[in-house]
Amino acid sequence: MCGIAGFVNGAEGNEFAGRVLGRMMETLRHRGPDDSGVYQDEVISLGHRRLSIIDLAGGHQPMSNEDGTLWVIYNGEIFNHAALRPELERAGHRYRTNSDTETILHAWEQYGPDCVLRFRGMFAFAIWDARGRTLFCARDRLGIKPFYYVWRDGWFGFASEIKALLEHPRVSPALNESALGEHLAFGYTSDEGTLFAGVRKLMPGHHLLLRLDGERTEPKIARYWDIPAPGAGGGPGASARQDEDWIAECRQRVEETVRMRLMSDVPLGMFLSGGVDSSVIAALMKRMVSGPVVTFSVGYRESEYSELDYARRVARWIGSEHREVVLGRDEFFNALPRLIWHEDEPITWPSSVSLYFVSRLASEHVKVVLTGEGSDELFAGYSRYRFHGWNSRWARRYGVLPAAFRKRIRQWIAGSSLLGAGTRRKLGHTFLGCGGSLESLYLDNFYCAFSPAAQQELLTSGAGAPAYANFRRYFDAGDGSLLERLLYADQKTYLVELLMKQDQMSMATSIESRVPLLDHPLVEFAARLPGEMKLRGATGKYIFKKAAEGLVPREILYRRKMGFPTPLRSWLREAAAAPLFDLLRAPDGLLAAYVDRRALENLIGRHQSGAEDATDRIWRLLNLQLWGEIFLTGRREKMETGLMAGARVP
């Protein structure tokens, strides 16, 4: 895993470009503390920070081809690079190293842009063709590795992290107001935009070609792969296959992808949450490696929010060398400014903080970890899929009643003194307390912190683009079942942001994380599965759990999903949280320019009094305010002195 950055040179000359590139590379040092390198000519500057994993001696970058006309900088791993090498050698390409980086170069020479179709792995790379004066950039199919860029007035720059781009004088940090609505709703932007004005991301499964041999025209961006769309079907005979055949193929594919991701010339370990996915991968690792398997877990001092007992049980079952870290309230909040700087944008989920601390623990022992991300989005592991299906069926029947009657019922549920707060909350999530649309039944219900209606009350100015437009676009992309369309939309939005959290929090501690369950052939297999093989009755991830039987204890496979909760709700009701609310009220903060003060005070008051659980909304606003302090106002150092107890996070 590495950090990459580059840009088209201006008129200032190579000495100036070299200084700027040096600052960009220093910003990415955490992504590659082992080595660094640059390439410059009269047109372009390329920089690389290396975390050495494969071919420790021979993998220095930027790397050139045999005659020095092509140069590549690359972040990621091509897990099938050794299988691709013989064909490339037969075609006449001469290897000087054993690194996967060189395979990218030779594959580009041989196949052009179609080279990406041959790679199995996670990657973001840029290839400069000095002879043809073209820059080719690509990002892996699922978006496991990041790639950000700026195109402005004929100038192009790119980097693994936004903060590196901000080191270039042509890029100034400013809020992208058009993204504010989606961010307040979901905590992220799911199109090519970011929360920074003018900074875009190359979307998963896309590549970019920029020609610099004459008049500079806008980069040509093309999609080279996509998850099979809803309604694509399972192919001939899919409906006639027996359950046992599907389950056996699932087991074989999972074993294959885990085995591929054990490729490493350095020690590797496993993040073990005690949930199904990480437990299954850890158990397979134990069967596949000759030495010990090292597992790492994180939990909270508040035991009801901790899954450490489950992780310990799995570790004993498979016989791993197990290590863990336990977090408290002050450690959690004091880490936020530093972690927002690492994540570039406001932190979406509190579990990012936990991930950072377990990554820091792992970095003391290994350089590579495997993780369990992706299974829930592939195989319908979240309870919201089942609950939304039930809600939708009843909503269609309930919809025959007059709209005025249904509105009165919703109002009565929301405000009735005859119902307890818990009952009101539960009924509010059903078809009785929601409207009948996808937006109300699914997005408002399970995703959204601030619905569009809530944003109107909160904001003093418009929130830009419609908050749900991107999700709706993906949901409407096919004509499959409701479950298939929900999964596809989640894979194109929610999952991509999860992967960014995984990348940035692990790289913050200079370790590489690998996600075996997102090997693209496994993703394509999951898309072909009949819905009942994913969600059967009340059992989500049905096929994955059946395929894993015998690997881990049955009580782990079929236990209720916790989803890595945090004690955030109770922490935000404690008196010690006062500095956090003071930060929200800061008259010179980002929120002051966009948020109605009375609406904010009302939200805080209702939460502190217990009248309403506003945890998600307060968390969203707190992170947005901190992001503004760190990137827009220049008060990063002040924030990093500690939000709670004054202890700075190393």
Side-chain angles (χ1 to χ4, degrees):
M1 207 70 65
C2 304
I4 63 174
F7 52 85
V8 175
N9 294 338
E12 301 90 347
N14 276 13
E15 184 178 346
F16 170 83
R19 290 196 300 269
V20 173
L21 187 62
R23 294 199 301 269
M24 296 172 74
M25 289 296 95
E26 186 61 27
T27 303
L28 297 175
R29 174 180 287 273
H30 54 280
R31 297 189 71 92
D34 296 334
D35 190 19
S36 65
V38 300
Y39 168 82
Q40 284 186 284
D41 60 24
E42 71 279 7
V43 180
I44 204 158
S45 295
L46 303 175
H48 184 264
R49 296 284 330 188
R50 187 183 183 203
L51 182 66
S52 303
I53 304 295
I54 302 296
D55 191 5
L56 306 187
H60 178 79
Q61 298 182 45
M63 182 180 290
S64 71
N65 64 344
E66 299 94 325
D67 62 7
T69 58
L70 297 178
W71 291 86
V72 66
I73 50 175
Y74 152 59
N75 169 31
E77 302 286 357
I78 305 298
F79 296 112
N80 65 331
H81 77 99
L84 296 174
R85 180 168 177 159
E87 181 180 340
L88 292 167
E89 289 179 322
R90 286 193 296 270
H93 299 281
R94 301 188 306 277
Y95 275 77
R96 294 169 293 174
T97 74
N98 293 314
S99 72
D100 53 342
T101 308
E102 193 170 2
T103 291
I104 294 176
L105 268 177
H106 294 316
W108 164 258
E109 290 179 296
Q110 187 68 24
Y111 310 116
D114 286 345
C115 66
V116 293
L117 298 174
R118 298 171 182 264
F119 300 152
R120 286 179 73 173
M122 51 186 190
F123 53 83
F125 64 81
I127 296 177
W128 170 239
D129 181 347
R131 181 182 298 160
R133 293 203 169 192
T134 58
L135 182 70
F136 178 77
C137 308
R139 189 178 178 196
D140 65 69
R141 294 168 176 83
L142 277 302
I144 303 169
K145 295 293 103 193
F147 189 99
Y148 298 99
Y149 71 95
V150 173
W151 169 258
R152 180 180 297 147
D153 300 326
W155 181 84
F156 182 80
F158 66 91
S160 296
E161 297 181 5
I162 296 172
K163 67 182 70 67
L165 281 169
L166 298 179
E167 291 297 323
H168 198 288
R170 288 181 181 258
V171 184
S172 299
L175 173 67
N176 175 14
E177 294 184 359
S178 67
L180 190 56
E182 187 177 25
H183 178 81
L184 286 171
F186 301 137
Y188 52 84
T189 56
S190 53
D191 61 5
E192 68 172 5
T194 70
L195 209 55
F196 288 89
V199 179
R200 293 182 272 183
K201 49 184 178 280
L202 186 62
M203 296 295 282
H206 284 66
H207 54 57
L208 176 154
L209 186 67
L210 179 65
R211 297 192 179 277
L212 298 169
D213 54 350
E215 184 179 348
R216 294 179 182 178
T217 58
E218 190 164 349
K220 293 182 179 179
I221 298 174
R223 186 177 69 190
Y224 67 86
W225 182 88
D226 196 9
I227 301 161
S239 60
R241 289 189 70 177
Q242 299 296 311
D243 284 8
E244 292 76 11
D245 295 333
W246 286 117
I247 293 166
E249 183 176 354
C250 183
R251 174 68 173 260
Q252 177 269 322
R253 287 182 176 276
V254 171
E255 289 180 349
E256 178 192 27
T257 184
V258 171
R259 186 175 290 108
M260 288 184 76
R261 279 151 184 82
L262 298 178
M263 175 187 80
S264 177
D265 293 335
V266 296
L268 52 81
M270 178 74 208
F271 285 163
L272 182 62
S273 70
V276 175
D277 308 324
S278 63
S279 299
V280 168
I281 295 171
L284 287 173
M285 286 178 66
K286 182 63 177 176
R287 296 183 176 204
M288 294 175 181
V289 301
S290 57
V293 170
V294 188
T295 53
F296 305 95
S297 299
V298 59
Y300 294 97
R301 293 183 184 133
E302 293 83 353
S303 58
E304 64 270 29
Y305 295 97
S306 180
E307 295 184 279
L308 286 176
D309 284 344
Y310 294 110
R312 292 164 187 158
R313 193 179 311 175
V314 173
R316 288 193 297 268
W317 173 275
I318 66 174
S320 68
E321 293 183 7
H322 188 62
R323 294 175 172 84
E324 57 190 37
V325 59
V326 179
L327 298 185
R329 181 197 62 208
D330 288 357
E331 294 167 287
F332 180 95
F333 285 115
N334 282 329
L336 275 183
R338 170 61 63 95
L339 302 190
I340 290 171
W341 181 82
H342 274 295
E343 201 155 309
D344 286 327
E345 295 181 286
I347 292 176
T348 304
W349 297 287
S351 56
S352 285
V353 182
S354 316
L355 178 57
Y356 167 79
F357 278 96
V358 74
S359 297
R360 195 173 69 174
L361 170 66
S363 70
E364 299 171 2
H365 305 276
V366 300
K367 292 185 74 170
V368 179
V369 291
L370 273 63
T371 78
E373 249 77 26
S375 176
D376 291 308
E377 293 80 13
L378 297 189
F379 300 112
Y382 298 122
S383 60
R384 62 175 178 254
Y385 300 128
R386 173 174 56 86
F387 194 78
H388 181 64
W390 177 85
N391 248 350
S392 296
R393 289 190 296 272
W394 279 102
R396 286 193 296 270
R397 300 169 186 173
Y398 185 60
V400 303
L401 297 176
F405 173 79
R406 288 182 276 123
K407 182 178 180 180
R408 284 198 296 271
I409 292 294
R410 287 198 300 272
Q411 291 172 338
W412 180 79
I413 289 172
S416 175
S417 59
L418 299 177
L419 301 174
T423 302
R424 288 199 308 273
R425 180 178 59 81
K426 290 178 181 178
L427 287 175
H429 284 295
T430 71
F431 65 94
L432 294 171
C434 299
S437 66
L438 171 78
E439 288 78 3
S440 180
L441 277 180
Y442 190 66
L443 298 179
D444 287 351
N445 221 356
F446 298 111
Y447 275 89
C448 194
F450 289 98
S451 68
Q455 290 183 29
Q456 289 183 354
E457 296 179 5
L458 178 75
L459 299 176
T460 55
S461 59
Y468 297 160
N470 290 322
F471 187 96
R472 187 83 217 196
R473 173 164 51 90
Y474 291 121
F475 179 81
D476 293 337
D479 58 359
S481 69
L482 175 62
L483 177 62
E484 289 171 328
R485 296 167 76 189
L486 292 176
L487 289 171
Y488 180 75
D490 275 352
Q491 290 160 9
K492 301 292 286 187
T493 58
Y494 180 80
L495 177 59
V496 177
E497 182 62 25
L498 279 179
L499 292 172
M500 285 301 90
K501 173 192 79 171
Q502 183 70 54
D503 172 84
Q504 289 153 332
M505 292 298 97
S506 58
M507 289 308 302
T509 65
S510 304
I511 62 170
E512 174 181 296
S513 60
R514 299 175 177 177
V515 282
L517 299 181
L518 292 177
D519 188 41
H520 79 269
L522 179 60
V523 174
E524 293 169 343
F525 165 76
R528 298 198 313 268
L529 286 170
E532 62 270 17
M533 293 303 297
K534 302 174 187 176
L535 179 58
R536 182 167 296 190
T539 302
K541 293 196 289 197
Y542 172 79
I543 186 173
F544 186 79
K545 292 174 181 177
K546 295 296 290 185
E549 286 183 352
L551 286 172
V552 294
R554 186 174 179 85
E555 61 267 26
I556 295 293
L557 281 180
Y558 293 100
R559 75 176 177 89
R560 183 178 179 182
K561 184 178 179 65
M562 288 182 67
F564 210 94
T566 64
L568 192 58
R569 180 184 305 172
S570 59
W571 285 344
L572 289 175
R573 287 208 171 112
E574 295 175 359
L580 305 177
F581 295 110
D582 291 341
L583 178 62
L584 289 177
R585 298 181 177 106
D588 57 348
L590 176 64
L591 296 183
Y594 295 93
V595 171
D596 180 82
R597 180 62 179 256
R598 287 176 297 179
L600 177 63
E601 289 293 349
N602 182 54
L603 180 71
I604 294 172
R606 290 181 62 80
H607 181 83
Q608 290 181 319
S609 69
E612 185 177 347
D613 179 11
T615 304
D616 289 347
R617 282 164 285 172
I618 291 170
W619 173 257
R620 188 68 36 82
L621 293 175
L622 176 63
N623 275 271
L624 187 61
Q625 185 82 317
L626 281 169
W627 174 81
E629 295 290 273
I630 292 163
F631 287 104
L632 304 186
T633 67
R635 291 192 283 260
R636 174 187 163 198
E637 290 189 3
K638 177 183 176 183
M639 292 298 102
E640 288 193 354
T641 59
L643 298 181
M644 303 290 284
R648 184 167 181 161
V649 177

